[in-house]
Amino acid sequence: MKVLITGSHGQVGHCLVNLLSKRSDIELVAYDRDNLDITDEHHVQTVLADVKPDVIINAAAHTAVDQAETDVELSYAINRDGPLYLAKAATQHSALLLHISTDYVFDGDNDVPYVETDTPNPKGVYGQSKLAGEEAVAANCANYAILRTAWVFGEHGNNFVKTMLRLGKDRPELGIIGDQFGGPTYAGDIAKALVTMMDNFTGSQQSGIYHFSGEPHVSWYQFANAIFDAAGKHDVLESLPAVNEITADQYPLPAPRPANSRLNCEKINETFNIKPSDWQAALKNIKAYC
């Protein structure tokens, strides 16, 4: 089986390459944005015609949430147009397309975890462009799975865990938002989930949207405390900062964030026997994030 990965240098893409490069039954073709510009339809068509993959895993995205508010054209080019071109190419070559999306497609006003059938209502450009990408994939590809996830972190790339460790090293005190809730999700678990879906996808009847994120659900404040607890246990920091709980209103950002980013992951468990990400276990390897 030939598998093409886009965004191979990103958090999830990096983990996918590590996983699939070890499998003798997989012919892996991994591209970063320098090798495959998914916003260029002709380039996508040319590369896909040459590779002829059985599976495409799109791990490429414009994830700079605040920057997206001003870089609207770039955000839509990567998050909407790129998935559209990949979906068309996947259909042309009868390939399965696995596409990563986000909790930001929701407004966060629910008081319970979101299920796949809840109506999206993104507040910012990032979420709006990602929702447009979902719609493009669903409308142009017969065999596809859209994986919505949230609060991604891992040893590779930039993320909240690395930011906390960096700030905790330099500052004696931090204010962390306590009124936004979600499920931290380990990038390696997202990669494993995608591979499991790929291996067990049986046809278009399984096409659709799936939620996958971590449990237990926590606030950013609670997540930060868990990070520093792990850092203390494994002697990552010489001293731990005081962590103070603040509200989102006290830390305004250009792009709005959902107050509720919790995702219900029952569907992916029932369909593919995939359990939520165990983010607490992933923090036991805290030294690798430094």
Side-chain angles (χ1 to χ4, degrees), residues 16-70:
L16 282 166
V17 171
N18 284 344
L19 269 179
L20 294 177
S21 61
K22 298 172 184 175
R23 286 182 45 170
S24 59
D25 62 327
I26 298 291
E27 183 180 347
L28 181 62
V29 181
Y31 288 121
D32 61 17
R33 60 187 176 186
D34 294 330
N35 303 119
L36 175 57
D37 180 4
I38 65 169
T39 70
D40 182 335
E41 184 170 18
H42 178 70
H43 192 208
V44 170
Q45 290 175 343
T46 301
V47 170
L48 271 290
D50 180 52
V51 175
K52 295 182 176 63
D54 301 296
V55 180
I56 303 165
I57 305 179
N58 182 32
H62 185 260
T63 58
V65 176
D66 292 318
Q67 188 179 337
E69 293 298 307
T70 51

